[in-house]
Amino acid sequence: EAFNLEIHSVVAANQTELGATFATVDAVFIKGGDQGSYYDLWNDSLLETEILAVAARGGGVGGTSAGSM
């Protein structure tokens, strides 16, 4: 099952609900956008931790343009 998750603030990138959201995720695809904005919003956030956890358990993480960085 695929779903979209939009994160537009540091507060949203740190929602405790993200843990449950990512618990069964086996791949993350990040669309292109503003790489600097992604960094500013997600660096050292729970979202970043959850994306790294997907990769650590052998899941795929990729994207296009800024999302691939």
Side-chain angles (χ1 to χ4, degrees), residues 4-65:
N4 290 322
L5 182 63
E6 294 189 26
I7 303 293
H8 296 287
S9 70
V10 172
V11 171
N14 285 292
Q15 296 178 81
T16 57
E17 296 84 8
L18 289 173
T21 301
F22 278 84
T24 59
V25 168
D26 56 13
V28 176
F29 181 87
I30 303 168
K31 71 176 190 158
D34 182 339
Q35 186 174 348
S37 178
Y38 287 166
Y39 180 85
D40 291 342
L41 295 174
W42 304 353
N43 187 49
D44 293 328
S45 70
L46 182 56
L47 177 63
E48 178 184 46
T49 299
E50 294 298 334
I51 292 171
L52 292 172
V54 170
R57 63 179 177 258
V61 178
T64 58
S65 192

